[in-house]
Amino acid sequence: MNMSDFYSDGARRLKPSAIRKMVHLIDKPGIISLAGGMPSTETFPMDIIRELFDQVYARRGPAAFQYGLTGGIRELAVWLAEFMATRGVTASSENIIMTSGSQQALRLVGEVFLDPGDVAVVELPSYIGGTTALRNAGADLVGVSQADDGIVTDELDATVARLKAQGRRVKLLYTIPNFQNPSGISISTSKRREILRLAARHDFLIIEDDPYYELFFGDSVEQPTMKSLDEDGRVIYLSSFSKILAPGFRAAWMCADPAIVRTIEIAKEAADICSSTMDQAIVLAYCKDGHLARHVPKIRRFYYERRNVMVDALRRHMPAGVTWTEPSGGFFCWARLPSGLDSEAMLPESVDRGVAYVVGAPFHVDGGGQNTLRLAYSKEAPNSLTRGVEILSKLISDHLRDPNGSRTGN
């Protein structure tokens, strides 16, 4: 029986994440993984989580496991509205909706705002989970280059103007402005303001995906959120507890104009009825008891140390011609190899030598990026990071000496 005859047009558009497709290759036992952009389990406050689970159950009883409101626990929405003030945003609980991870929020935004053939502009490179969600909603994705200080705004302006002249509807820009996944780049304040001006001029929405906001390595985050600069409600702000508590809670939130929140809530009701009430109750207790405020400085130091280890190893071992970003927060360095090298072709050999990374091409919606790769310092211990970079550097050096040869060993 040919099941494809029954699929909807939307189902035929579905594409899997390129990273998920590579898991069988990069997630092998004994491999030093510079691939997965996941938080270290060392940062999970398990003792406190166990205590809070017991406390929540003692207070709420079986109701803690019952269905809840689609928009989330009201008290948590109130707390998050107040918390958004630390990110420069004046909000009320009417601006907040809980989602089952930011990935669900991206999926819901695509469902609510995008018709097949609408254009969504994304950064080059851009987070695969975001581009997959928007593409699966039927959008045509158009990429705009990044410089060291973020998206090239002149190119953004020209791209949107060109598409409009062709009669194309540019609905939204998807951006990760702080310590971007995958590049580690942050958008400068002046560019954030210019992006908002362009959004008003060309009339498109902005999805500001900001899961790494708290993971800055200096004294404070360097730039204001775009949501804090938003004067007409066109920024849809997403953030998450996945990187600052634990991703297994699948607890994330959207802060947006109340009219947007109400529509997203209707779409979410059809998607999952509600996010986990127990997860939200534990997150609420964790935040209200002050644990989050005490925990975040610790994980900043944790990831800062690992970033320094990776950057130091890159400086000491990478051959000439390889460049990389040195992020001021988050989980990722982004490496660019000399022209002619293909990171995807090199990956099986890298895994054979004991190191995994994520190839860069899938992060580019324009088909580019064959000579790029993403290196995550969030998961591995410092000695493994150093050893992993050493092995990878030797592999790249071997390919630079003999681009077509066959190599073994490390």
Side-chain angles (χ1 to χ4, degrees):
M1 184 174 182
N2 185 4
M3 287 296 178
S4 63
D5 290 341
F6 294 89
Y7 289 154
S8 67
D9 290 341
R12 292 189 179 94
R13 288 195 304 267
L14 295 177
K15 301 291 184 183
S17 162
I19 293 179
R20 293 282 174 177
K21 288 173 66 177
M22 291 188 289
V23 165
H24 73 284
L25 182 63
I26 65 180
D27 193 27
K28 293 183 177 180
I31 294 292
I32 297 173
S33 179
L34 309 181
M38 61 188 70
S40 170
T41 55
E42 294 179 55
T43 68
F44 299 169
M46 296 308 304
D47 290 342
I48 294 172
I49 290 171
R50 288 193 200 97
E51 293 175 6
L52 291 175
F53 182 93
D54 291 339
Q55 291 176 22
V56 167
Y57 184 72
R59 285 199 301 266
R60 296 174 179 258
F65 297 94
Q66 187 55 276
Y67 290 114
L69 297 174
T70 300
I73 293 176
R74 183 72 175 179
E75 191 178 357
L76 181 54
V78 171
W79 188 91
L80 283 167
E82 296 172 355
F83 180 66
M84 287 300 297
T86 67
R87 303 185 181 188
V89 179
T90 300
S92 74
S93 61
E94 303 302 313
N95 298 103
I96 305 294
I97 182 171
M98 298 300 299
T99 61
S100 300
S102 289
Q103 191 63 38
Q104 184 188 52
L106 290 166
R107 176 67 183 86
L108 294 174
V109 167
E111 177 183 342
V112 166
F113 287 103
L114 294 171
D115 290 313
D118 285 340
V119 176
V121 177
V122 302
E123 296 154 331
L124 292 174
S126 186
Y127 169 54
I128 291 173
T131 57
T132 299
L134 300 177
R135 184 181 286 114
N136 286 350
D140 293 335
L141 304 186
V142 175
V144 174
S145 304
Q146 293 188 86
D148 291 342
D149 61 346
I151 193 167
V152 179
T153 51
D154 287 346
E155 183 180 335
L156 173 62
D157 188 14
T159 297
V160 176
R162 171 176 54 81
L163 290 165
K164 289 173 66 177
Q166 295 171 355
R168 306 292 305 282
R169 178 75 188 276
V170 178
K171 280 279 187 76
L172 56 86
L173 165 71
Y174 172 64
T175 179
I176 305 172
N178 290 314
F179 329 121
Q180 192 223 31
N181 179 1
S183 70
I185 289 172
S186 294
I187 301 177
S188 66
T189 299
S190 61
K191 281 192 171 182
R192 294 175 193 230
R193 296 183 186 280
E194 179 62 16
I195 289 168
L196 284 163
R197 285 193 287 269
L198 292 175
R201 181 191 308 165
H202 294 297
D203 194 24
F204 58 81
L205 299 175
I206 298 170
I207 306 175
E208 183 178 13
D209 194 0
D210 202 13
Y212 306 101
Y213 178 92
E214 301 293 339
L215 300 182
F216 53 83
F217 299 149
D219 294 332
S220 63
V221 70
E222 297 173 352
Q223 292 88 15
T225 61
M226 281 193 276
K227 186 62 180 172
S228 69
L229 305 173
D230 180 21
E231 296 181 351
D232 52 3
R234 67 178 63 249
V235 175
I236 301 170
Y237 183 88
L238 312 180
S239 198
S240 171
F241 289 98
S242 291
K243 310 302 188 293
I244 56 176
L245 180 51
F249 283 109
R250 309 310 300 137
W253 73 95
M254 176 188 297
C255 181
D257 182 275
I260 292 175
V261 168
R262 289 191 294 270
T263 306
I264 292 288
E265 185 172 2
I266 295 170
K268 178 176 167 60
E269 183 177 358
D272 69 351
I273 300 178
C274 65
S275 299
S276 166
T277 50
M278 174 56 94
D279 287 0
Q280 292 179 69
I282 293 174
V283 169
L284 174 61
Y286 188 82
C287 295
K288 290 197 69 175
D289 290 352
H291 296 297
L292 182 66
R294 292 187 291 270
H295 182 60
V296 167
K298 298 176 185 177
I299 60 174
R300 286 181 193 138
R301 292 191 294 270
F302 181 93
Y303 293 120
Y304 182 44
E305 174 191 351
R306 278 153 176 72
R307 188 222 59 167
N308 289 344
V309 169
M310 175 170 279
V311 167
D312 179 64
L314 290 167
R315 290 173 177 172
R316 288 190 289 115
H317 298 292
M318 275 294 170
V322 179
T323 61
W324 56 88
T325 58
E326 298 185 359
S328 56
F331 285 177
F332 307 108
C333 292
W334 180 251
R336 184 175 298 277
L337 308 179
S339 178
L341 295 189
D342 186 328
S343 65
E344 184 171 3
M346 291 167 53
L347 180 59
E349 185 179 353
S350 183
V351 172
D352 286 343
R353 297 192 186 197
V355 177
Y357 57 81
V358 174
V359 302
F363 295 97
H364 293 75
V365 300
D366 65 345
Q370 283 74 19
N371 66 326
T372 61
L373 58 148
R374 190 189 74 180
L375 302 173
Y377 48 80
S378 55
K379 178 178 177 289
E380 295 287 353
N383 61 334
S384 294
L385 290 173
T386 298
R387 179 61 178 151
V389 171
E390 289 176 352
I391 294 170
L392 181 58
S393 300
K394 176 65 164 58
L395 172 67
I396 294 169
S397 296
D398 289 346
H399 276 261
L400 286 171
R401 284 194 299 270
D402 182 13
N404 300 311
S406 176
R407 305 156 198 85
T408 60
N410 59 12

